[in-house]
Amino acid sequence: MAADLQQTLRRLQAKMLVVNDRFALVCNQRDTALERVAALEQELHTERARADRLAGEVEFLRMATTIAPERKDVERTRALLASLVREIDKCIADLKE
């Protein structure tokens, strides 16, 4: 009976070591995946900022290259310029505070 108990303990110990090794492997894979997710989120943020900046440049270029502006383009340009002036006014007001 003691031999059976010793054999059972050895089997349990061996299985525990296997489970421990697998757990460590899964933890390492999880950490690697979390690092990858963080890197991809940062890259996504950077690319979204770049896309926003490029969209603004496209809008400015569209205004600059309009040879015979249509009424719609003129109105859009005026609205954009008005929003830029408001933003500048807000910046000046913040500087005064």
Side-chain angles (χ1 to χ4, degrees), residues 2-87:
D4 289 339
L5 184 57
Q6 287 294 329
Q7 188 179 15
T8 303
L9 284 175
R10 275 187 242 125
R11 279 191 318 218
L12 284 174
Q13 185 179 20
K15 288 180 181 182
M16 186 182 71
L17 290 174
V18 169
V19 168
N20 191 34
D21 289 343
R22 288 182 181 172
F23 179 74
L25 178 65
V26 168
C27 285
N28 287 337
Q29 289 174 342
R30 179 185 154 272
D31 293 342
T32 302
L34 288 175
E35 290 172 3
R36 178 80 173 132
V37 166
L40 288 173
E41 285 177 346
Q42 179 62 36
E43 184 179 340
L44 177 63
H45 176 72
T46 302
E47 291 302 319
R48 282 185 177 162
R50 181 173 176 252
D52 290 342
R53 182 178 48 82
L54 290 174
E57 286 182 23
V58 166
E59 187 65 26
F60 290 134
L61 288 172
R62 184 176 291 130
M63 285 185 286
T65 58
T66 303
I67 295 172
E70 296 177 4
R71 180 151 184 87
K72 181 176 124 181
D73 291 333
V74 172
E75 290 173 3
R76 194 171 67 226
T77 303
R78 285 181 182 161
L80 179 63
L81 289 175
S83 70
L84 290 174
V85 168
R86 282 192 297 273
E87 189 175 329

